[in-house]
C-alpha cells in the first residue's frame, strides 16, 4: 500500500525590526543641538574666564557712564538750541516775506506809472500827427510808423512748432550750418518771415497782436521769441495788411516763403497761410523817434 509523501513543514521567515526614519532622526538631532558645538564651547570658555559685555573695573565703568552723560548732554543742548532758535528763524522769514511784498508793490506802482507815461506820450504823438498840414501825408506816416491802428485786406500766416518739438542741446538748438533740434521755431525764422512779407508788399505787420515798426526787434532769450522785449508763445500768428491774394502768392514764391516751406518739409514745423478780406492791427505801444526833427519852412523860426 502506497502512502502520500509527507510535505516538509513550512517555516515562517523572521521579520527584521523596523529602523527609525532617517529624516526624523536628523530633525531630532537639529532640535536637540540647535547651537553649534563650536559656538557652545566658545561661550563656555568666555563664561569660565569671566569676560562679560560690560566693563569690569571701576575706572572703565566710570568712563562708560561719563560718555553716556556727555552724549545725553549734547542731545539735550542741541534740542534746546533748536527750540530757542525756531522763533527767531520764523521771525526773520516773516520779515523777509514782508520786505519782498513791499518791494513787489513798489515795482508794480512804478510799472503802472511807466505805462501811464507811455500812453500819454503815444497820445501826444498821435495828436501831433493829426495836426500836420497835409492830412494824407500824416495818415501815411502814422500807418508806416505804426502809430495808428489799421485795417484792410491781407494775409494771415500761422507758424507753429512741430508736434514733437524739443529743445536742442548745448543751448544752441539750431546751428548756422544746419538745424539740430526737432522743430522749434526760432527768432531767425520769424525774422525771415517778416522780411519776406515786407518785401512781398505788406503795408503793416503784427505778430500775436504786437505791431511791428521800423525799429522793432525780433530776437531770442533762451527758447522764447521776443518782439520789442515782449515774449511770445507759439503758435505765432502773423497778420500782414496788403493785397491779400497777391501778397500770399508773392510771399510763397519768394526765397523766404520757400525757406518756410523747407522748414515744414524737413523739420515738421506747422504753417498755414490764407488771404483775408479784413484784418485789424493795433497801434504800436510806443513810437520812439531818435534822429528825426520837425521840418520848418524857410524864413520861419
Amino acid at each position: 500500500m502506497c502512502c502520500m509523501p509527507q510535505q516538509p513543514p513550512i517555516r515562517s521567515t523572521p521579520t527584521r525590526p523596523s529602523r527609525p526614519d532617517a529624516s526624523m532622526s536628523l530633525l531630532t538631532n537639529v532640535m536637540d543641538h540647535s547651537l553649534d558645538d563650536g559656538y557652545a564651547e566658545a561661550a563656555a570658555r568666555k563664561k569660565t574666564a569671566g569676560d562679560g559685555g560690560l566693563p569690569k573695573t571701576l575706572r572703565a565703568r566710570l568712563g562708560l557712564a561719563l560718555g553716556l552723560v556727555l552724549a545725553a548732554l549734547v542731545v539735550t543742548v542741541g534740542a534746546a538750541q533748536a527750540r530757542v532758535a525756531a522763533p527767531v528763524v520764523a521771525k526773520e522769514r516773516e520779515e523777509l516775506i514782508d520786505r519782498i511784498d513791499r518791494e513787489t508793490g513798489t515795482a508794480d506802482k512804478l510799472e503802472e506809472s511807466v505805462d501811464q507815461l507811455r500812453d500819454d506820450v503815444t497820445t501826444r504823438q498821435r495828436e501831433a500827427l493829426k495836426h500836420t498840414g497835409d492830412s494824407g501825408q500824416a495818415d501815411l506816416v502814422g500807418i508806416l510808423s505804426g502809430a495808428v491802428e489799421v485795417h484792410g485786406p491781407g494775409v494771415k500766416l500761422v507758424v507753429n512748432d512741430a508736434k514733437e518739438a524739443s529743445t536742442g542741446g548745448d543751448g544752441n538748438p539750431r546751428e548756422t550750418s544746419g538745424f539740430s533740434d526737432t522743430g522749434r521755431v526760432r527768432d531767425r525764422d520769424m525774422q525771415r518771415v517778416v522780411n519776406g512779407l515786407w518785401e512781398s508788399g505788406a503795408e503793416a505787420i503784427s505778430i500775436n497782436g504786437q505791431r511791428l515798426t521800423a525799429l522793432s526787434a525780433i530776437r531770442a532769450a533762451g527758447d522764447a521769441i521776443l518782439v520789442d522785449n515782449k515774449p511770445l508763445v507759439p503758435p505765432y500768428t502773423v497778420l500782414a495788411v496788403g493785397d491779400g491774394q497777391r501778397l500770399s502768392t508773392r510771399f510763397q514764391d519768394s526765397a523766404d516763403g520757400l525757406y518756410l516751406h523747407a522748414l515744414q518739409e524737413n523739420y515738421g514745423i506747422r504753417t498755414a497761410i490764407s488771404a483775408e478780406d479784413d484784418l485789424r492791427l493795433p497801434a504800436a505801444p510806443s513810437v520812439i523817434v531818435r534822429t528825426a526833427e520837425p521840418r520848418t519852412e524857410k524864413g520861419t523860426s
Side-chain angles (χ1 to χ4, degrees), residues 28-280:
T28 304
N29 186 28
V30 170
M31 294 180 62
D32 293 340
H33 303 84
S34 59
L35 185 64
D36 188 81
D37 295 339
Y39 287 106
E41 292 178 1
R45 287 196 304 269
K46 189 174 182 180
K47 183 176 181 180
T48 303
D51 186 11
L54 295 176
K56 299 299 182 181
T57 63
L58 179 61
R59 184 175 182 179
R61 292 180 178 178
L62 290 177
L64 178 60
L66 181 61
L68 294 175
V69 171
L70 290 176
L73 181 62
V74 169
V75 174
T76 304
V77 171
Q81 289 180 349
R83 189 179 299 108
V84 172
V88 178
V89 173
K91 183 179 180 181
E92 293 178 352
R93 182 175 180 273
E94 293 295 333
E95 292 177 354
L96 181 60
I97 293 175
D98 293 339
R99 182 179 177 183
I100 293 174
D101 292 338
R102 290 195 302 269
E103 296 298 333
T104 302
T106 302
D108 292 339
K109 291 180 180 179
L110 292 176
E111 187 174 357
E112 292 177 359
S113 177
V114 170
D115 291 338
Q116 292 176 358
L117 293 175
R118 184 181 291 113
D119 294 339
D120 182 58
V121 171
T122 302
T123 302
R124 292 176 183 271
Q125 289 176 342
R126 293 172 181 170
E127 290 296 329
L129 288 173
K130 292 180 180 179
H131 290 84
T132 56
D134 189 351
S135 60
Q137 184 178 3
D139 293 339
L140 179 60
V141 171
I143 292 174
L144 297 179
S145 64
V148 296
E149 298 179 1
V150 296
H151 72 92
V155 167
K156 178 181 179 181
L157 174 62
V158 180
V159 184
N160 199 358
D161 294 337
K163 291 183 178 180
E164 298 180 356
S166 62
T167 304
D170 300 331
N172 192 6
R174 185 170 292 172
E175 302 290 345
T176 304
S177 59
F179 299 158
S180 59
D181 66 347
T182 57
R184 294 293 297 265
V185 177
R186 296 298 167 184
D187 57 328
R188 66 191 67 175
D189 303 332
M190 298 307 301
Q191 290 173 2
R192 294 201 59 168
V193 168
V194 170
N195 290 334
L197 289 171
W198 285 125
E199 186 178 359
S200 299
E203 300 175 4
I205 299 177
S206 68
I207 303 178
N208 286 13
Q210 183 71 20
R211 180 75 174 275
L212 302 183
T213 68
L215 301 177
S216 296
I218 301 176
R219 61 186 184 87
D223 289 330
I225 295 179
L226 306 182
V227 175
D228 292 336
N229 294 325
K230 291 187 177 181
L232 305 180
V233 295
Y236 306 103
T237 302
V238 183
L239 302 180
V241 174
D243 187 351
Q245 191 60 48
R246 183 182 179 186
L247 178 60
S248 175
T249 302
R250 292 185 63 180
F251 171 75
Q252 295 183 68
D253 293 338
S254 66
D256 297 316
L258 295 177
Y259 169 83
L260 186 61
H261 181 72
L263 295 183
Q264 182 180 7
E265 291 293 328
N266 298 327
Y267 304 100
I269 290 179
R270 294 168 287 176
T271 63
I273 187 170
S274 61
E276 303 291 335
D277 294 333
D278 188 22
L279 297 176
R280 295 186 176 273

